[in-house]
């Protein structure tokens, strides 16, 4: 996830564009909308972690600001402890 997806800095009236379809939607973003978004994102992450646990896998969230090598090192360091 990008930093903007983790902690959205947006507010006001915006036109959001779907990266895959190019479709746009007009939205108004306020504190309540951000809270709802963060709650849904946290629920999604919790669900992904639960699925991983059920399948004896490890869920590792990697922000786009972190290198793949950094994420692997972080994962291995935790797995060794």
């Amino acid at each position: 996830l990008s930093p903007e997806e983790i902690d959205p800095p947006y507010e006001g009236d915006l036109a959001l564009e779907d990266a895959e379809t190019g479709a746009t939607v007009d939205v108004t973003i306020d504190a309540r909308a951000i809270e709802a978004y963060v709650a849904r994102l946290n629920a999604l992450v919790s669900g992904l972690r639960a699925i991983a646990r059920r399948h004896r896998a490890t869920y590792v969230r990697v922000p786009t600001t972190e290198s793949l090598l950094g994420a692997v090192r972080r994962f291995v360091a935790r797995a060794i402890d």
Side-chain angles (χ1 to χ4, degrees), residues 28-45:
T28 299
I29 299 180
D30 59 10
R32 198 167 106 190
I34 297 288
E35 288 173 14
Y37 166 80
V38 170
R40 288 185 69 191
L41 178 60
N42 288 338
L44 171 65
V45 169

Side-chain angles (χ1 to χ4, degrees), residues 1 6 49 58-81:
L1 295 171
I6 295 168
R49 284 188 176 129
T58 301
Y59 173 85
V60 179
R61 187 166 91 178
V62 181
T64 58
T65 54
E66 183 177 10
S67 71
L68 180 58
L69 181 57
V72 170
R73 284 182 175 157
R74 183 166 47 93
F75 169 74
V76 169
R78 265 195 264 164
I80 291 173
D81 289 342

Side-chain angles (χ1 to χ4, degrees), residues 9-23:
Y10 310 109
E11 65 178 72
D13 297 327
L14 301 171
L16 302 180
E17 181 178 342
D18 185 303
E20 295 174 359
T21 68

